[in-house]
Amino acid sequence: MTETKTRRFDLFNYVLLAVCFVAILTLGILSGQKWFKMLPALVSPAVMLLNSRVNRLGFLIGGLNALLYAVGYFAEGLYGLAIQASAVSAPVQLVTFARWKKHAYGKATILKRLSLKRNAVLILATAAVWAAAFFILSNIAGANQSALDVTCLVFGTAATFLTMFALMETLVFQVVNISATLAIWCIQLAQGEFAEITYFIGALYSAYCTAVLCVNWHKLYRKQRSETTDGQHTQKSEAT
């Protein structure tokens, strides 16, 4: 991407960020959204933009913001999301920031992939945990949209830990997580919960940032692999 195209893309992202912020604030006020549910939704666009750029600062801000999200999720009876945000997302994002800073690569970190064997274990473990979590959560009084809620809980949790270790497999989990999240807020709106428009807008912006994140992670991973390969070739040349 040329410097001019990069600047235009950055400008587009900033404009989109501003539009998302204003839309969430305006619609939140008009719909009577509670302030403690609107505040984290206002912070999230900035966090998502940082994450899409593979900037570790996003995890520091995101970890603190996750605690605010947990309050709103609990109020909606989305206990899976509330548990994921407070007990997993918040602390793990803070650890991720520290870990990425320790293994820094510019503003990001060194990315890795799992072996085929470990990927198979990851898939089986995810399926087993999802089934167990669905059985438990669907039997809790007041639980809402259990299947989608559990999908967000399991895939969001897995993505959080995979991101902490900078594993490329996190991208698949991120895509499934944001898809389930969008579905949740679409259903909430369809059921007449118009105040949830702030979460829906945030989820739409998150979906866009997830797409950008996938592209940037792949670019960074290819760059790092190329540098590693070039370094190995240099070492072999020096040895001969």
Side-chain angles (χ1 to χ4, degrees):
M1 185 180 290
T2 64
E3 185 176 347
T4 301
K5 288 184 178 179
T6 300
R7 288 179 178 176
R8 288 176 179 174
F9 186 62
D10 287 341
L11 179 60
F12 173 77
N13 282 329
Y14 290 134
V15 170
L16 194 60
L17 174 66
V19 170
C20 184
F21 181 91
V22 172
I24 291 174
L25 180 61
T26 303
L27 292 173
I29 293 174
L30 292 176
S31 64
Q33 178 67 284
K34 296 180 177 61
W35 71 267
F36 62 83
K37 294 175 68 177
M38 189 162 60
L39 180 58
L42 290 171
V43 175
S44 281
V47 173
M48 289 181 283
L49 182 59
L50 286 170
N51 287 344
S52 72
R53 293 180 171 182
V54 205
N55 189 322
R56 58 182 175 271
L57 183 60
F59 300 116
L60 177 61
I61 302 173
L64 300 175
N65 199 44
L67 296 174
L68 294 176
Y69 264 118
V71 177
Y73 291 148
F74 186 81
E76 287 298 321
L78 297 170
Y79 304 129
L81 284 174
I83 293 170
Q84 195 274 334
S86 60
V88 180
S89 182
V92 175
Q93 282 195 78
L94 296 176
V95 172
T96 300
F97 171 74
R99 183 179 175 83
W100 279 39
K101 187 175 182 180
K102 182 178 180 181
H103 303 281
Y105 181 94
K107 294 181 180 180
T109 190
I110 303 297
L111 302 177
K112 301 176 289 293
R113 282 188 185 277
L114 291 174
S115 65
L116 289 176
K117 183 178 179 180
R118 290 184 176 180
N119 263 307
V121 172
L122 176 62
I123 293 172
L124 291 174
T126 301
V129 172
W130 189 95
F134 178 74
F135 175 78
I136 295 172
L137 207 62
S138 61
N139 286 295
I140 296 178
N144 190 15
Q145 301 184 49
S146 297
L148 290 172
D149 193 18
V150 168
T151 299
C152 290
L153 169 62
V154 175
F155 281 81
T157 300
T160 300
F161 281 101
L162 291 171
T163 300
M164 181 174 68
F165 293 105
L167 294 169
M168 291 295 293
E169 285 74 14
T170 189
L171 301 181
V172 174
F173 286 80
Q174 291 277 23
V175 170
V176 173
N177 180 44
I178 188 56
S179 298
T181 301
L182 272 172
I184 283 178
W185 300 123
C186 282
I187 292 172
Q188 291 286 91
L189 290 175
Q191 292 176 344
E193 298 289 340
F194 186 68
E196 309 307 334
I197 189 67
T198 54
Y199 282 170
F200 177 69
I201 293 173
L204 279 177
Y205 183 74
S206 181
Y208 165 75
C209 287
T210 298
V212 175
L213 179 148
C214 289
V215 173
N216 287 337
W217 271 56
H218 278 291
K219 285 182 178 179
L220 182 60
Y221 181 73
R222 287 197 298 268
K223 179 182 178 183
Q224 292 174 354
R225 291 281 294 177
S226 176
E227 291 175 355
T228 300
T229 302
D230 290 343
Q232 290 174 346
H233 287 166
T234 301
Q235 289 177 355
K236 288 181 179 179
S237 297
E238 292 175 349
T240 57

